[in-house]
Amino acid sequence: MTTSSNPSAGPRTLHGSRWTPYRAVLGSRVRSQASHRASFGLDLGSSLLVGIVELAEVAVLFTSVSAIGGFDLAAILLVFGLADLCFSVADMVFGHCDNLPEYVRTGRLDVFYLRPQPLLLQLVTSDVSLRRLARAAVGLVALVVGLAVNEIAWGPGAVALLLLAVVSGTATFSAMFVMAGGLQFFLVNGAEMTNAFVYGGRYAATQPGSVWGRPLVVVFGFFFPMAFTAYLPVTTLLGLPAFAGLPGWVGWAAPVAAVWAWLAALLAWRTGVRHYQGAGG
């Protein structure tokens, strides 16, 4: 009997077997989309067009006035680009939580329960929409242009804040998808309600929070912390005033908002999973 001379061979094998099913599913989804080139091209084109139209709407609005809520066109490009990039990446990874109501109604979700893998991880890796890369590209271009046209005091702090905002913003939007999925165990046909804070939150995140009324500040500023995905990090990066009463460094609190969003999302998800009794219940 021979044994491996490498003591880490066992853990690597175990680790590899744990993730192999997910890689296989995602790989098959990617290959299936890439094999239908015409359809894939149309999907990419339509997604790209939607992103460009939304960016054009922002540009038209902010070129009509000198500034809105203390933000000019250059500053809002940063907000839009950062929010749109983070949302698009989160949508590509966790956006399949939108399919949960269909999975519940058709009984497909019950199949996930038969597999020895976490339910949420199975749902996330059940599909991948590469067309969302086009939307991410629009956000990335807007962000790069915004960084180029704004006067930013570049240094380690500014770079760290920007990277922190991208990671935290993506995590926050991802949590919103998971929270919406958890609520669907109770609502089933309530996608319109959850879309109000998922997609409505995404729209709010691309706008300057300084124009929000007090109810919106409470809802999208702190309860669903959309303001921390782009608006508040940009105010800190550019040295602009944030919400009244908040310090200038508040943009650095984006990770705290992401943690809060995930705590709420996991609570909603765990409660929903425990409530679920199967497609017949």
Side-chain angles (χ1 to χ4, degrees), residues 142-199:
L143 178 60
V144 171
V145 173
L147 292 173
V149 298
N150 281 282
E151 296 183 2
I152 301 174
W154 287 109
V159 174
L161 177 60
L162 182 62
L163 294 177
L164 198 66
V166 172
V167 174
S168 300
T170 303
T172 300
F173 281 123
S174 300
M176 293 299 101
F177 280 108
V178 175
M179 183 187 297
L183 293 177
Q184 290 304 322
F185 284 107
F186 300 93
L187 302 173
V188 181
N189 292 316
E192 291 79 8
M193 191 197 81
T194 55
N195 286 347
F197 66 83
V198 176
Y199 296 94

Side-chain angles (χ1 to χ4, degrees), residues 19-62:
W19 294 101
T20 296
Y22 305 110
R23 290 199 300 266
V25 171
L26 288 176
S28 66
R29 300 294 186 185
V30 171
R31 288 191 297 272
S32 65
Q33 292 181 55
S35 62
H36 299 85
R37 297 183 179 180
S39 176
F40 181 54
L42 288 174
D43 284 343
L44 279 178
S46 60
S47 183
L48 181 65
L49 181 60
V50 170
I52 292 175
V53 168
E54 291 183 350
L55 178 58
E57 290 176 353
V58 172
V60 169
L61 177 62
F62 279 81

Side-chain angles (χ1 to χ4, degrees), residues 15-259:
H15 181 75
S17 63
R18 181 185 305 170
W19 294 101
T20 296
Y22 305 110
R23 290 199 300 266
V25 171
L26 288 176
S28 66
R29 300 294 186 185
V30 171
R31 288 191 297 272
S32 65
Q33 292 181 55
S35 62
H36 299 85
R37 297 183 179 180
S39 176
F40 181 54
L42 288 174
D43 284 343
L44 279 178
S46 60
S47 183
L48 181 65
L49 181 60
V50 170
I52 292 175
V53 168
E54 291 183 350
L55 178 58
E57 290 176 353
V58 172
V60 169
L61 177 62
F62 279 81
T63 52
S64 303
V65 294
S66 58
I68 298 178
F71 277 65
D72 58 10
L73 178 59
I76 202 63
L77 278 176
L78 267 182
V79 175
F80 179 92
L82 186 56
D84 206 45
L85 174 62
C86 293
F87 180 85
S88 298
V89 174
D91 191 18
M92 185 169 59
V93 179
F94 287 90
H96 314 300
C97 292
D98 285 346
N99 298 328
L100 187 61
E102 178 185 353
Y103 290 176
V104 171
R105 289 194 302 268
T106 61
R108 182 177 175 183
L109 187 67
D110 292 5
V111 178
F112 290 173
Y113 275 91
L114 301 177
R115 301 169 183 166
Q117 286 99 18
L119 182 64
L120 180 58
L121 194 54
Q122 289 189 68
L123 179 63
V124 169
T125 57
S126 63
D127 199 0
V128 58
S129 296
L130 296 180
R131 62 184 177 82
R132 289 165 178 149
L133 288 172
R135 288 293 302 272
V138 174
L140 180 60
V141 169
L143 178 60
V144 171
V145 173
L147 292 173
V149 298
N150 281 282
E151 296 183 2
I152 301 174
W154 287 109
V159 174
L161 177 60
L162 182 62
L163 294 177
L164 198 66
V166 172
V167 174
S168 300
T170 303
T172 300
F173 281 123
S174 300
M176 293 299 101
F177 280 108
V178 175
M179 183 187 297
L183 293 177
Q184 290 304 322
F185 284 107
F186 300 93
L187 302 173
V188 181
N189 292 316
E192 291 79 8
M193 191 197 81
T194 55
N195 286 347
F197 66 83
V198 176
Y199 296 94
R202 176 258 167 202
Y203 179 79
T206 61
Q207 307 300 318
S210 49
V211 301
W212 297 349
R214 183 168 297 179
L216 285 180
V217 171
V218 173
V219 174
F220 289 123
F222 300 99
F223 190 75
F224 302 117
M226 298 293 97
F228 287 88
T229 60
Y231 167 66
L232 292 177
V234 169
T235 59
T236 300
L237 185 65
L238 299 181
L240 298 173
F243 295 134
L246 292 182
W249 50 262
V250 68
W252 288 99
V256 178
V259 170

